[in-house]
Structures are given as structure tokens and as C-alpha cells.
Amino acid sequence: MATAKRTPAPLGDNRPSVSTGPYTLRSLMRDVPLSVEGQDTQITITCVEHWDGNLYIGTSASEILHFVSFPSDAPDERHSITYILASRLELSQGVLTPGSSFAKGVQQILLLPSVNKACVRCNNVLTFYSLPELSPAFGNTKVSGCSWIGGRDLDINDNQQAGPEVIMICIRKRIRLVRIGEEPHLVKNIEYPGCLTSARRGRFACVADAHSYALLDVENQQKIPLFPISSLHEETETFTGDLPSDIVKTVPQVSGNIRLTRAPGDAGTDDSSIHGRSTSLGTSAGISGNVQPTSRSRSRDRAGTRFSGGVGGQRSPQQSVSPIRSISTSQSPTRVSQGSTFLSRSIIGSNHNNEVAQRSTNQQSPAVPTPNISSPIASEFLLTTGTSMTEPGVGIFVNCDGDVVRGTLEFSRYPSTIVIDGYDPLTSNTSGSLEDDQDGFVLATIKRTLHGLERNGLEIQRWDVTSEGKSWLAVPEVSDVAEENVNAPSTDITIGLATSLTVQEIHFEEVGKRLRSKRLKISRDTGNEATGNADNGQPELEEWEIARAQQEDDFARRLGKKSTRIVTWSGSSIFWVVRNPLVLRLELVIDEVLHASQESRLDQNRLVKVMSEIHNQEARTETDFLSLEYIRQKISILLFADLATNRLDVNQHVNEHLFVEGGLDPRVLLSMVPLLREDIVEGPRGIWIHAGLVALMERQLLVSSITLEADEILSRPEEFDLLGLTRRYLTIWRQRKGFGSIADETQVFSTVDAALLHVLLYQDQQSMGGPGGSSTVRAELYAVVDNDVDCFDKAVELLERFRRLYVLSRLFQKRKMAGKVLATWRRIIDGEHDDGGELLDGENEVRKYLVKIRDLSLVEEYGTWLARKNPMLGVQVFTDDQSRVKLSPHQVVQLLRSRAPDAVKEYLEHLVFGKKNVQYANDLISYYLDNVLAVLSTSDDARSILAQSYESYRALHPPKPTYRQFIIDNTIPASWWHDRLRLLELLGGSHGAGFSYDIPGILQRIEPFEDALVPETIILDGRQGRHHQALRLLTHGLGDYHTAINYCLLGGSSIFHPTSGRVESMSIPSRLEQAALFKSLLSEFLRIEDISDRVERTSELLERFGTWFDVAYVLDLIPDSWSVELVSAFLMSSFRQLVQEKTEAMITKALSGAENLKISADLIEKCQILGPQIEVTEPQISTS
């Protein structure tokens, strides 16, 4: 036994082979000491088996190297394993026929851990050993002429296997089913000569010789011939559909145990069949499970993505072996039972027969394909067929009825060995380590030509779906070839592939290093500060950050764990073939895109394609979930960074939805936009993202700071606007408010709101003033501030910086900050520049807002401020019935007098004219008089205007409007003119006859301006009962004849104010009073200077109102010089009136007489009805 030698084999810190496929390589052991002191360099590895920390390596020198594993003690190599050479077992060289196709050396190692036994086939000699130290078992029995060992029942879970196991030992003429326990027991002989490989599921075994495949029913003694291995073989057999033939020869019953004994000389004593978990080079043993359901109705065209395979560790039934500690079972050669001679005799054949069978086997050409059998699920076998080893091969699935099922698999060349990796749900053959390997793969060792060179490697494809392509995994072919140079030229060294008995856990530390979280520090100053990792000036970490980093380290150790049982070897190196972590596969694709873009632009299409391929991919494990998230986020960063470097040609699929799908913290992307970097809120705990993205972001921050600081990525063509994309991206993110799954929600949405507001303000800068400009952007801007923002202080700062005061007021409105709203509006109204120009009617907006609020102090402050600027609007604040702040008229008057004197009149007008509150009419009259008299006393123009109005009115010819209507129609834009109209309205009795005011006081004040204020004098004369003077002024002062007539009818009331509806009856004088007034008016008309006007006015008055005059009086008053014709109308109407009165009197008299007769007749009729009545008068009794 060789001296123990330490051979390190780190499993966790080696870089995987460069591959984007579903599998990658991890070194199990390099520079295996195949020969003592390395004196023989031609020795190669022929088979490998791994079980319970023991590594068994068979070599072409007929030796088995036994290594024992020890975990590494180094703290930085806790996932590494060191193998120590425990023994070097030299086996019998045996005898191989010259020209034999069987490989020289150790051909198979079959471990049976349930009975602690190992079956080793070396140079077609089968030997039995005890586990784990490989001490001879069964008396060091050797069986020559063995072409295969294996045939373990794949339907039995290795964890469930206990006690003896039944295996198939293939010799030249038959197959022996032998139960291996403490002693071997022969179960059956199966007549099937020349078996080279097999796989068994329960009672069905699929076997193959050098020419064709067959299906055996080992219990019912039947055989179903299948199809040939090679279509060019001369002895091809085809399945004719005949009934199965009897192929079982019953074993005679023998009392006692059936034991295996050593036969003398070269006589063979047993058969051998390599187990699928340990396949020697040149033989085929694909024993593994399938991860897909076995139902035939399952669609074989299930859609899958290129990167969906190899994502996890779901155990296949044949790969899920729980290691069983071996117990030394070295037995003495003397422990041979007497019954063992039967099995020895039944197996041993003559040398002549052995040589014939060996020559028959050797007749096949080396180029003829060798059989490969594997079983993906409990009811199916996978077989390979082809023309030659250099031509393409085909994989065919056969069920236990011998029928071809599923579709076929195609291999670019005929495979030397195939292994199936996947999960068989029917057997539930799991060990808890392959939890996410639910995709079925076929791995085949193939040699292909690349760039004129022959290269060995593994061709990998899915067997459970047909929608995916193939992938190629190159295997290093020389032991001293570095892993990064796996594409080195091929040598004559071939590779091997097998499945081990024990599941090995492989830890990809780089996965955890990428997926763990790390703090990203964003600088607003210089690029050196942006990295946060500079050697100089790096801030000391706080306790919480140290604790967080430790938690992330612990979390990272849970990630990147993959389990495998597949090993491959080349030269003196052995590798685990392990599912390639999803994150490493996809990141390699991204790295290839980045490498190709160093000399050209980034291939956005390829990155978008990767995103689309993983869009609907379901994560089965936590690592897969984080891996998909990491890849999406990395692609988002790369695409956004590419867009941020003034890129003009943009893929149409690069839109806001793609970035949102990435799920990246929006602060990360915004940090690449210098314009928005200042809006980022990191918070006390900072921004934590995947560590693999931190280094990428640090580089992007440097680039963006250098190349984009000048133009801030704002000069873009219309067809692509990065700020527009950012705006839409942030808008979608803003809709996620309230989602509990968002980390650092406060800081994230504060940043989103600030950045979105910043972008909208910038884009709206170029719009026209007023609410109609840039409708889409401005509408979004309003929507943002109206729905409140999480970055209130930052929003105020931005709005002040961009001078958007109106938008700022809307923000204050959302927060119900009424004082700030009004203060902002006052700034705009007072003249401070507002770039938006949206507040068009600011004073009215202030009025409407004051009506809505309940703050008394604000209403008083801004109501009086508005009253000073616009008395009419300011007064409406206090007079609106919908106002939520109610003040009494007295309080309002006092408030306005103290803060807005000019608005007092407006408020009093509202009270007097609007509310008909006569209590304040005298005050209002006083205000009007003050204003009018002040103007007349100081302005000659005003007096001239009034005098001119009188002259102009008198110059008009009838019919003409009243003087009041005349001055209204010819009003001038002067406040005193308006005040005079209101004064006339009040003095004229607009508030009814009950309204009184200080007539003497008013007359005293207007006396100096009596000639200028004629209507006022007329009204006051009428109020005092001086009707004659009033009519005289109306007739001769104004020439307003129509108003003079109304004066007579109404008694001097309500003549200079607008009337609508009926006049109060109590204010109308009696007919006698009206007649007296008409007499006075007739006298004034007869004094009109213009004779024509005199005659016309007098005739009209008598004609229209003749009934109010006495004919005699009129005839006496009219000058004798007037002709009767001038008053004919009056006379005719008077005479007509007299006749009418006489006729009415006669009719009245006649009607009265008739009424008297009717009453008398009624009385007589009543008396007749009642008849006479006798009244008896009682005699008076004299008292005397």
C-alpha cells in the first residue's frame, strides 16, 4: 500500500469553466497520482466512484486509488475538501484477447453500500471487496470473462435499500441475477450471451450486446427484441412483433447457501455489470432519474427558455444516495461454504467457449457504435443508435412494452457515454440535496471538430422537452491546462463520464458574493467620493453597518449551493459536472455583450432578449429568485447607463416598463442622471443593493459625472427623450405607494417624488404661460402636487427655484396650509414673477378661497388686503352667503373702515341695495354726497359736465327718454358719476315710502351746488311737499316732461330710481291730490317759453289726463287766442265723459227701480206662502 499523500481538491473557490449552458465544471481533484512517483505518464483514469467521503479511482494500470476526504481547516476554505490517498490497490492484470475492444485496466467499480461490498471489474475479471477499505471479500473470489456488472433496481431508492441487493453479472453466454449479501445467492440464469450493458427497472431490464438491444422480463421469462445499435452491422436484428420468447433457465434447487468460490486457474466464477453510477470509459451506463412527470399524455413540447435548465438541485431517484458509513468486513479466505461450489461450476465455462465468444465480440469495428442504455423515468429507457462513432447519433425512448415513445434525441456525434440528470417523480428517489433540479437533461461525451481541431466535451440537451437547443461543455483534456483555457487543442486523451453513488454539495461562493446586499454610497460632489471604497478618507463603519454586513455574509453562505453526482475526468484531473448557477450563466451572457461593446455600441437588442427570456421564468428557490432579480437589475443599469450617454438610436423595447420589471431601487438609476442626483434621499441606512451591482454602479457614477455634467443629458431629439422616459418610469413607480414589499419606502418615494417633480418642472420650462401650455406635462405636474408628495421640503425648494409659485400654492393647498397658499398668491398678485403664469384671475381666486376656509384671522387679513386692492371683490368675501366665516355688518364696517376705507362704500351698497338694509342707507347717502360734493367743489369740469347734460337733454325733441335714463345711457367712467346715480336712487325712494333720511341736512349741504344738482333738489322738494317748486324745476329746469307727469301720478315718490313691478299703493296719492298736482303742472306747461312746445305739451297733457281736470277751469285758464282745435281732443273727451256720466246715472236709477220692484214682489210672494196670522192681544188687567 502506498504512503498516504495529501491531494487538495477545493470545491468552493475554484472558478467554474466558462459556460453559458446549464452545466459547468468544478474541480474534484487535479494531478491524480496515477503512478508511483509519476514514472509512467501513459496511465489514465478509467472509472471513478464516490461514496461517503471515499473516492475510488480506477486506472488503466489495473489499480484502484482510494482517497479519503477531510474538510479544510482554513477559515477561508470552509467549502473546500482535501483528499488524502489512503491506499493504492493493485489488481490482477487478467488476460484480454488480442484486439479486444474492452478497455485495459479497471473497467467498472460497483459499490453496494447496503451490504458494504464493492464489485470491481478489471480486465474482464470480477473481484469482490469490502467497503470502505477495499479488503477482499468472499474469499478473494475472482471471476474472469465478465463483460458487465450492474443492473441494480433503479426503482429502489438508495436510502430505502437495506440488506442484500440483486445485481446482474454478464458473462459470455448468459446473464446471472445474483443477490449480494453476506454471501452471494444465485437468483436466475438468463440466456443472453455477450451482454455489454444493461439497466433494470423492477422486473424489466433493457440489455444490449454488440449488435442490438432487447427488453427482458426477468420475472415472466420473456424477451422482446428491439432495434440494432448500428444500421450498418451485418448481423442486424429487427423486431418483428413476434411474441416474447422464453429466455430463463430455472436454477436447480439446492439445499444450503449458494456461495461464490475461487476456481483454479483462469476459470471464471461470476458475471459483472457496470452500475450506472460508475461508468468506465468506452462503456455505457446512464443510470439516473427524470424530473418530469411520466404520463405519456404530457406534452413533449412544453415551452422552456434557454436558461431554464440547470437551475437547482432536485434529486433524481438514482442520484439521491444517502451516504452509508462503511464497516470493515474483511473476511478470511477460509470462510468458504460448501455450497459455494455450485455457483462456481454453473458459471465456469471451457476455455474454448470463452475464446469463441471473445472473438465474436472482437469482430466489431472500432468505428461501430457501442450500446448506451439509460432510464429517465420508471417506465422508459433511453437507447442510442447510429451509423458509426463519427456520425450523428439518435436517442430513442422505449417503454416497458417495447414501444417507442416521446420524440427522438439527436446527437451531433454518436456518444461514447450518456448520463441522465433529472428527477423521477414516480420513485420519489430524493435525498434532500437536489431540491431544484427539476429539469431533465441528457449529458453525452462527444468528440467534435472545432476550427479544424478535435475537441472532447459534453453535449447537453433536454430530454423532457423538445423546445430547447443543445449546449456544449468543454472538458479540459490535459491535467496541467488551466481552467480558463478549456478550449485548448485536443490530444489523444479521451474523457469519461459517470454518476457517483453519493450526492456532493458544491458551493459557488461567487454566487453569494454577487447576490448579497451591499451599501451603495452616492456622492454629489466628486467621483472619488462616489465609490465610498477609496483607501484614503474612507469613513469608519458604524456598528449597525458592521452588523448588517455580517448578516449579509451569513446570508451569502446559504446561496450558491448545488448538488451533483455526475463526474467527468480527463487525463489526471477529475471534475464534478454540476448545474450551472443561473446567475453565473446569465451574467456570462451579459459580460459577452459588454466585451463586444468595447469597440462598438452596446448591443441593446441582446440584453432586451435576455430580459424577455427570463420574463416568465419561475424561480424555484431563493437563489433563483435573487438571481433573476440580480440579472434584471444589472441589465436595467446597463441599458439606462447606455441611454444616459447621449445615445440616439434606441431599441423600441427599452422603455419604462422594462426598467420597472427589473425591480431595481429607482434611486440607483437616478444616480446616473446628474440633473436628478441631488434629489436622491439615501437615509441614515443608505442604499443597499446586490453586491455584484455596487462595483458596476461605482463605475457608472464616475462615467456619468464626467461625460454628462455639461449638458445634463438634456439635448436629445424629439424621438428619444431620456427625461421623458425617466418621467414615465417614475410615474409608474409612484403608483406603488403603499406596497408593503418595498424596502426603505420612505426614502424611496421621497426620491421618486422629488425626481419626478424635478423632471416635470424642467420639461415644463419651455411651455407657454397659462394653464393651456404643455397640457400633458403640466397636467402630470398638477397631478403630482395635488396628490401630495413625500418630499415636501424638497418640493418647496424645487418650485421656488423654478419660480413656479402657482404650483407651489397647489402643493400648500394639498397640505391644507391656507396661510401659505394665500401668501403665495399675494406674492403673485403683488407682482412677483411666476414662470408658469397660471394664476390668471388671482384676486378672484383669493376671494373664492377665503370663502372656503374657516380661519377668521386669515379671512380678516386677506379679505381686507383684497378689499384694498379691489374693493368690489374684497367686499364679496364678507358678503358671500356661502362663506364659512360669518361676521356681523357692524364688525365688517368697523374692519373695513380701519383697514380698507375705500371698500366701506362697496360694503354699504351691498347692505342697502343688496340686502335692503335701510339701517345703513343714511351712511351710504353721506358717502355718496361726500364723494359727489368733493368732486364738484374741486372740479370745474364736473360742474360743466352736469350743466352740459341739462342743456343736451333740454335740446332733445319729444319723444325723448327721461332724464334719469338719459344720464344712464350717457354715463361717464367716473366714480363720482356712479355715486350720483346711486344717490339719486336712494333719495328718490328706492327703499319705499317708509325710508327716511335727513332732508334738511342734505339740502343744506347741496345748497351751494343747487344749479348743478337739479334732480336732487327736485326730489328733496317733493319730500318736503313743495310740489309746485318740484314741478317747476322738472318743467323749466330739466325739461323732463315725462318725469313731471309721473310726479303727478306718484305724488313725487320713486321718480329717480328704477322700479320694477307694482308700486306700493300706500305711496300713491289720492285722485284729488293727483288732480291738484295736474293743475300745477298745467300751469307750468302754459309757461313754457317755446310756444310750440307749450301748445304741444299742454294739448298732450289735456288729451291724456283730461279726466283729472275740470272743463270750466281749463277753459278759463287757456288763453283766448288759442283755437278750439288745439283743445278739441280735451273737449271731446270731456263732453264724452259728461254724456257717459249722465247715461251711467240714468242706468243706475233704472236698475235701482227694477231692484226695488223685485224686492217688493218677493215680499208679497212670501206673505202669500205664510198666510195670515192672528195675533191675540191679552187684555190688560187694571191694577186698580
Side-chain angles (χ1 to χ4, degrees), residues 425-443:
L426 291 184
T427 61
S428 300
N429 194 5
T430 59
S431 62
S433 60
L434 304 178
E435 69 280 353
D436 62 342
D437 291 347
Q438 297 182 3
D439 301 323
F441 286 92
V442 175
L443 292 81

Side-chain angles (χ1 to χ4, degrees), residues 1057-1071:
H1057 69 85
T1059 58
S1060 60
R1062 300 179 60 184
V1063 181
E1064 296 180 8
S1065 59
M1066 62 179 299
S1067 64
I1068 299 176
S1070 64
R1071 188 172 181 82

Side-chain angles (χ1 to χ4, degrees), residues 475-495:
V475 179
E477 298 176 343
V478 182
S479 60
D480 59 352
V481 175
E483 287 192 6
E484 59 269 19
N485 191 26
V486 296
N487 293 324
S490 174
T491 66
D492 293 337
I493 298 177
T494 57
I495 64 173

Side-chain angles (χ1 to χ4, degrees), residues 461-481:
Q461 59 183 304
R462 294 284 296 273
W463 63 264
D464 52 348
V465 295
T466 59
S467 59
E468 294 192 1
K470 304 174 186 177
S471 61
W472 174 260
L473 179 61
V475 179
E477 298 176 343
V478 182
S479 60
D480 59 352
V481 175

Side-chain angles (χ1 to χ4, degrees), residues 29 47 80 105 157 186 202 211 291 299 385 405 417 518 664 698 728 737 903 945 976 1174:
M29 181 177 292
C47 56
S80 300
N157 191 331
L186 178 62
H211 311 297
V291 299
S299 172
T385 182
V405 295
T417 310
K518 184 178 179 181
L664 184 65
E698 290 169 353
R728 296 188 295 272
K737 282 188 179 181
I945 290 172
W976 67 270
I1174 301 175

Side-chain angles (χ1 to χ4, degrees), residues 672-812:
M672 292 185 283
V673 184
L675 174 69
L676 306 177
R677 191 175 299 168
E678 64 178 35
D679 303 325
I680 297 175
V681 180
E682 295 188 51
R685 298 303 173 96
I687 302 174
W688 290 77
I689 58 176
H690 294 297
L693 303 178
V694 172
L696 176 64
M697 277 304 304
E698 290 169 353
R699 292 194 300 270
Q700 295 300 334
L701 290 178
L702 288 173
V703 172
S704 63
S705 297
I706 295 172
T707 62
L708 303 178
E709 203 65 49
D711 60 358
E712 294 184 341
I713 59 173
L714 304 179
S715 300
R716 294 296 181 95
E718 294 183 359
E719 58 269 17
F720 175 73
D721 177 14
L722 180 62
L723 289 184
L725 175 65
T726 305
R727 184 188 79 230
R728 296 188 295 272
Y729 168 71
L730 294 174
T731 301
I732 297 177
W733 249 101
R734 198 167 187 266
Q735 297 171 358
R736 295 187 170 189
K737 282 188 179 181
F739 289 13
S741 59
I742 298 176
D744 300 328
E745 183 177 9
T746 302
Q747 291 77 22
V748 168
F749 288 110
S750 294
T751 301
V752 168
D753 287 347
L756 179 58
L757 185 62
H758 200 162
V759 172
L760 290 170
L761 287 172
Y762 181 84
Q763 290 189 319
D764 195 47
Q765 265 186 339
Q766 311 302 324
S767 65
M768 299 176 60
S774 186
S775 58
T776 302
V777 175
R778 187 159 296 183
E780 292 185 24
L781 177 61
Y782 290 162
V784 170
V785 296
D786 290 346
N787 289 286
D788 203 4
V789 293
D790 293 345
C791 58
F792 180 76
D793 294 336
K794 183 65 177 179
V796 173
E797 175 191 341
L798 287 171
L799 293 170
E800 290 282 4
R801 186 197 311 170
F802 281 85
R803 296 184 300 183
R804 300 302 297 273
L805 299 182
Y806 176 74
V807 182
L808 177 61
S809 70
R810 296 182 69 129
L811 178 63
F812 289 144

Side-chain angles (χ1 to χ4, degrees), residues 865-914:
W865 167 81
L866 182 60
R868 289 193 298 271
K869 294 191 69 68
N870 190 331
M872 183 178 296
L873 281 178
V875 167
Q876 292 179 21
V877 174
F878 304 101
T879 60
D880 197 317
D881 294 334
Q882 303 299 323
S883 177
R884 298 186 177 183
V885 175
K886 303 295 183 180
L887 293 174
S888 67
H890 177 73
Q891 291 176 316
V892 176
V893 170
Q894 296 300 322
L895 183 65
L896 292 178
R897 283 177 176 171
S898 62
R899 299 186 184 183
D902 294 339
V904 174
K905 182 190 68 174
E906 296 290 342
Y907 183 69
L908 292 177
E909 286 181 347
H910 166 75
L911 293 177
V912 175
F913 294 105

